[in-house]
Amino acid sequence: MNNQQKNRILKGEQNFQLYVIPAIKQSFPGTWISTNGLDVDFESGIDWVYIDHGVPYTVASRVWESSPKQHFSIRWKRTGNIDQQLEVESRLRDMRQGKQLPVWTIEAFVFKGWVYVAIIDSLILWKVVREHLMDLSDFWVMNESDQTIFKRVPFDRLEGVKKFTYLS
């Protein structure tokens, strides 16, 4: 992992702690534990464990510093390292093999003092991705030496999206 990736992961963790947890704390008052750098992070895309009354829930998260969007974003491909398995390939493989998926997926946007958070059951999200991958639009994000192509999974294609808005 290069320094840009490490910094991005650290910044995402910090933004989750600074913005997302306060935005959802009334609905999720339990304990949040980062899995940053642990095997479960790299192998299953689990960024957090949320503990509520002794029951653990695994969470994948992404925090953007941008205007809010009405979709979840999933890494599909990279232009530079085409052999690298990203979220789409690894999560769909895990589904086929019956491996652990995060219980919830959280997408958040921090913009002009506001925090916008969406939470979905990860299984619902990844079933839609599996069934409609090639129909989902994409967008590109510039990295240090290449680009990452993300797929958009619109909220209106998913049942059970919970949304939160919070003035930080």
Side-chain angles (χ1 to χ4, degrees), residues 130-148:
R130 180 182 63 202
E131 293 167 15
H132 301 285
L133 178 62
M134 298 317 294
D135 299 329
L136 299 173
S137 65
D138 58 61
F139 65 98
W140 297 47
V141 173
M142 188 62 150
N143 301 316
E144 195 171 275
S145 60
D146 67 354
Q147 293 180 322
T148 300

Side-chain angles (χ1 to χ4, degrees), residues 3-156:
N3 282 338
Q4 182 188 20
Q5 290 169 317
K6 288 178 187 174
N7 290 338
R8 179 183 45 78
I9 290 169
L10 183 58
K11 186 170 186 164
E13 178 181 0
Q14 290 170 340
N15 283 342
F16 193 91
Q17 290 173 334
L18 284 172
Y19 301 111
V20 177
I21 292 173
I24 63 176
K25 71 180 173 188
Q26 284 191 301
S27 296
F28 297 89
T31 303
W32 291 89
I33 301 169
S34 173
T35 62
N36 187 5
L38 301 179
D39 288 345
V40 72
D41 178 14
F42 297 113
E43 294 169 9
S44 301
I46 294 169
D47 301 305
W48 296 90
V49 175
Y50 170 72
I51 301 173
D52 184 32
H53 297 95
V55 179
Y57 300 89
T58 54
V59 179
S61 67
R62 178 162 288 119
V63 182
W64 299 92
E65 293 180 30
S66 75
S67 61
K69 311 295 187 238
Q70 294 298 305
H71 62 77
F72 288 93
S73 307
I74 54 172
R75 284 186 188 91
W76 183 38
K77 295 182 180 185
R78 287 193 67 171
T79 59
N81 186 356
I82 59 174
D83 294 329
Q84 181 182 5
Q85 279 196 346
L86 299 180
E87 290 166 354
V88 170
E89 189 174 343
S90 60
R91 294 301 87 76
L92 293 179
R93 181 201 62 229
D94 290 350
M95 279 180 70
R96 282 191 308 273
Q97 295 176 354
K99 291 186 178 176
Q100 180 180 23
L101 290 177
V103 173
W104 298 317
T105 298
I106 296 178
E107 187 98 5
F109 300 88
V110 178
F111 186 68
K112 294 186 177 181
W114 288 88
V115 183
Y116 305 85
V117 180
I119 302 174
I120 187 69
D121 177 309
S122 295
L123 193 55
I124 292 171
L125 172 68
W126 288 103
K127 283 181 179 178
V128 168
V129 172
R130 180 182 63 202
E131 293 167 15
H132 301 285
L133 178 62
M134 298 317 294
D135 299 329
L136 299 173
S137 65
D138 58 61
F139 65 98
W140 297 47
V141 173
M142 188 62 150
N143 301 316
E144 195 171 275
S145 60
D146 67 354
Q147 293 180 322
T148 300
I149 306 167
F150 287 82
K151 286 288 192 175
R152 293 180 183 98
V153 186
F155 295 160
D156 62 8

